[in-house]
């Protein structure tokens, strides 16, 4: 894998920043907002930022880059599809529960629903995410869609997935700012009390996490290679086919090694678009 050390450093940084973001959301809720409950009070609303940051931001980010992890390239693409779809499903469930908690809190306190730009964009992101998830399951996971259709829809699927993720980050920033403006009265948000500074730091962490995920997902040289290349490059301890390929390379001459590499690269370029559609998707 080209730039493996750089990828590993970015991956560790993204996981660390994402985990710290989740911890910050918990500290915010329990330290400054009174904890959690499910009784229509403000404590029920506190589920909203926690579940959004945990599911819709952190878990969705992991789902986006799961195909890029080089140590998973020896796994079957079907297994990776299930992992990718499972992570996105968990993120979707958490996002739905978070929206329910917000609506319950508004209804219990006679607060109008869906009046802010944050709520409009947030609901649009959830609807788009649901469409992305179910269309991805239908086209890329179930074995019914022809390969040309998968190849044609893949660029749209990737673009919409990354767009939704970036939109979720922006919506989360709008939401935490809106919450501070409404909640901090004495002292006010503009006077920068400790809670305001703490939550602003949370917002910066979300931006950094989103930037790291988008950078890793947009580098073409970190894509999962086509299936034939995965078999050839499979490390020791892989499947029987991987061992046979490794043995043939080891026992062959230098000319055969070069020919194998050239043929592998040519096949990768020729079949890249069709093969990629069946190997990775970004929901």
């Amino acid at each position: 894998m080209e730039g493996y050390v750089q990828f590993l450093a970015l991956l560790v940084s993204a996981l660390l920043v994402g985990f710290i973001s989740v911890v910050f959301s918990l500290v915010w809720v329990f330290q400054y907002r009174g904890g959690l409950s499910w009784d229509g009070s403000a404590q029920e609303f506190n589920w909203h930022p926690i579940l959004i940051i945990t599911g819709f931001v952190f878990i969705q980010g992991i789902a986006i880059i799961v195909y890029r992890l080089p140590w998973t390239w020896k796994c079957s693409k079907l297994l990776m599809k299930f992992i990718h779809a499972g992570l996105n499903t968990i993120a979707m469930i958490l996002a739905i529960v978070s929206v329910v908690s917000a609506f319950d809190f508004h209804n219990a306190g006679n607060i109008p629903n869906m009046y802010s730009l944050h709520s409009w964009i947030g609901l649009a992101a959830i609807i788009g995410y649901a469409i992305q998830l179910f269309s991805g399951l239908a086209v890329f996971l179930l074995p019914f869609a022809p390969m040309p259709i998968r190849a044609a829809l893949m660029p749209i699927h990737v673009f919409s997935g990354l767009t939704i993720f970036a939109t979720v980050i922006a919506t989360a920033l709008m939401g935490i700012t809106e919450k501070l403006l409404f909640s901090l009265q004495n002292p006010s948000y503009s006077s920068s009390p400790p809670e305001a500074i703490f939550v602003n730091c949370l917002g910066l962490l979300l931006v950094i996490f989103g930037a790291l995920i988008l950078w890793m997902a947009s580098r073409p040289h970190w894509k999962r290679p086509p299936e034939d290349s995965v078999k050839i490059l499979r490390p020791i301890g892989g499947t029987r086919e991987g061992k046979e390929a490794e043995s043939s390379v080891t026992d062959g001459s230098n000319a055969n090694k070069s020919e194998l590499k050239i043929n592998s690269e040519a096949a990768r370029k020729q079949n890249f678009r069709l093969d990629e559609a069946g190997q990775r998707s970004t929901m």
Side-chain angles (χ1 to χ4, degrees):
M1 180 185 189
E2 181 181 348
Y4 176 78
V5 175
Q6 181 186 10
F7 176 85
L8 188 62
L10 291 173
L11 176 64
V12 172
S13 299
L15 294 177
L16 181 62
V17 172
F19 178 76
I20 293 175
S21 299
V22 173
V23 173
F24 265 50
S25 68
L26 290 169
V27 173
W28 178 28
V29 163
F30 284 97
Q31 180 70 26
Y32 296 104
R33 296 287 105 203
L36 298 169
S37 67
W38 198 272
D39 56 3
S41 65
Q43 285 69 43
E44 179 176 349
F45 179 85
N46 289 340
W47 284 104
H48 184 69
I50 289 178
L51 296 180
I52 287 294
I53 292 172
T54 302
F56 224 17
V57 176
F58 185 50
I59 295 180
Q60 184 187 176
I62 296 175
I64 288 175
I65 62 171
V66 70
Y67 279 103
R68 302 269 170 146
L69 305 179
W71 50 86
T72 67
W73 292 353
K74 63 179 179 290
C75 301
S76 69
K77 62 183 180 182
L78 182 60
L79 173 61
M80 298 310 301
K81 287 181 182 181
F82 276 111
I83 293 175
H84 178 73
L87 290 172
N88 279 288
T89 300
I90 293 172
M92 185 72 208
I93 292 172
L94 295 181
I96 291 174
V97 175
S98 74
V99 171
V100 171
S101 69
F103 274 89
D104 277 356
F105 166 68
H106 283 187
N107 294 335
N110 293 321
I111 302 172
N113 291 308
M114 299 302 299
Y115 65 89
S116 66
L117 183 61
H118 164 72
S119 60
W120 286 18
I121 298 179
L123 184 61
I126 290 179
I127 294 174
Y129 192 72
I131 295 173
Q132 177 85 344
L133 176 60
F134 290 116
S135 63
L137 292 174
V139 174
F140 300 106
L141 187 60
L142 300 179
F144 302 120
M147 192 63 70
I149 293 180
R150 295 186 181 188
L153 293 179
M154 175 56 66
I156 300 174
H157 186 70
V158 172
F159 175 78
S160 58
L162 297 179
T163 301
I164 290 171
F165 178 70
T167 301
V168 168
I169 297 289
T171 307
L173 298 178
M174 296 168 60
I176 61 178
T177 302
E178 183 179 290
K179 179 64 175 177
L180 291 176
L181 287 171
F182 289 159
S183 301
L184 296 179
Q185 300 297 331
N186 189 21
S188 65
Y189 184 26
S190 60
S191 62
S192 298
E195 181 180 357
I197 296 175
F198 182 83
V199 177
N200 285 348
C201 292
L202 171 60
L204 290 176
L205 290 173
L206 296 178
V207 171
I208 295 172
F209 176 75
L212 291 171
I213 294 297
L214 292 174
W215 179 260
M216 287 187 288
S218 61
R219 300 302 93 189
H221 53 277
W222 289 339
K223 290 180 180 179
R224 176 185 171 98
E227 194 69 11
D228 290 341
S229 298
V230 171
K231 290 180 180 179
I232 292 173
L233 299 174
R234 191 184 304 275
I236 297 175
T239 64
R240 179 179 180 85
E241 292 83 357
K243 291 180 179 179
E244 291 174 355
E246 183 182 359
S247 176
S248 66
V249 173
T250 303
D251 296 336
S253 64
N254 292 333
N256 289 335
K257 290 180 181 179
S258 300
E259 182 180 356
L260 178 61
K261 292 179 180 178
I262 293 172
N263 291 338
S264 173
E265 183 65 22
R268 175 175 178 173
K269 291 180 179 179
Q270 181 180 3
N271 299 316
F272 180 77
R273 289 181 59 83
L274 292 179
D275 192 65
E276 185 189 33
Q279 290 182 32
R280 69 176 187 90
S281 60
T282 305
M283 294 184 182

